[in-house]
Amino acid sequence: MTVLNPAIAAKLSEALAAGPQALFVVLSELLTIIPGIRTATFIATAPDHSVTHRIGTSNPVDFPVGNVDPIDDGAWNRRIFGDRQPVIGNDVPGMAAFIPETDQLVAMGYGATSCFPVIIAGEVRGVVALLGDAGIFTPAILAEINTLLPIAALIFTFEGISER
């Protein structure tokens, strides 16, 4: 079974026509209906590849849009920008291996994270970051997420979306 049906396709089409903010809403809904995923956040890479910044989220209270982080030599950046591979922290130790703020995330009730680089024309243009309950990122859930990632990549093609 796929998460995409004619009604969802129509909703996505309308959101694409309306712009990135509408698309954030639809994609956040699609990602957070996957069992165990509670927060979806979209992070853009600045054109000069020096920083990333949050451009959309399903939880703006805890993850406000605009937060800027340097692209440094940390484990998360090496995995996303160097290896161009997802970060999958399916439990607290797995999260802590990549995310320095793990204690804060655990205090907020999260027990797992996954972050997927969005590669367009050979460049990591952004990241789709998901937070939820420990143990949720099973092969079946990862396959479901993977069906949505090409659609989520459309966000990073809007002109100026990566500008801070």
Side-chain angles (χ1 to χ4, degrees):
M1 181 174 165
T2 181
V3 295
L4 200 55
N5 62 38
I8 291 172
K11 201 172 188 180
L12 284 166
S13 182
E14 291 169 13
L16 276 167
Q21 297 307 317
L23 194 54
F24 290 139
V25 171
V26 173
L27 285 167
S28 291
E29 289 173 4
L30 291 173
L31 288 162
T32 58
I33 62 171
I34 297 172
I37 296 176
R38 297 197 334 256
T39 300
T41 300
F42 305 91
I43 303 165
T45 306
D48 67 1
H49 302 280
S50 63
V51 297
T52 60
H53 55 103
R54 215 175 280 134
I55 58 172
T57 182
S58 63
N59 181 351
V61 172
D62 292 322
F63 305 101
V65 169
N67 185 64
V68 175
D69 289 308
I71 297 177
D72 58 21
D73 194 37
W76 188 89
N77 286 312
R78 284 194 312 271
R79 180 76 171 168
I80 296 291
F81 293 99
D83 300 340
R84 296 180 176 197
Q85 294 294 314
V87 166
I88 308 292
N90 212 16
D91 54 22
V92 173
M95 290 170 61
F98 291 98
I99 301 177
E101 304 84 11
T102 294
D103 289 343
Q104 295 160 353
L105 295 172
V106 170
M108 292 162 51
Y110 296 109
T113 187
S114 61
C115 303
F116 301 89
V118 175
I119 301 167
I120 299 172
E123 287 185 29
V124 178
R125 298 276 300 274
V127 177
V128 175
L130 306 172
L131 290 164
D133 303 325
I136 62 170
F137 296 111
T138 63
I141 294 296
L142 291 171
E144 198 166 344
I145 293 164
N146 281 329
T147 66
L148 293 171
L149 291 176
I151 297 165
L154 293 171
I155 286 173
F156 301 99
T157 65
F158 281 95
E159 186 173 337
I161 198 74
S162 295
E163 304 293 327
R164 350 179 222 132

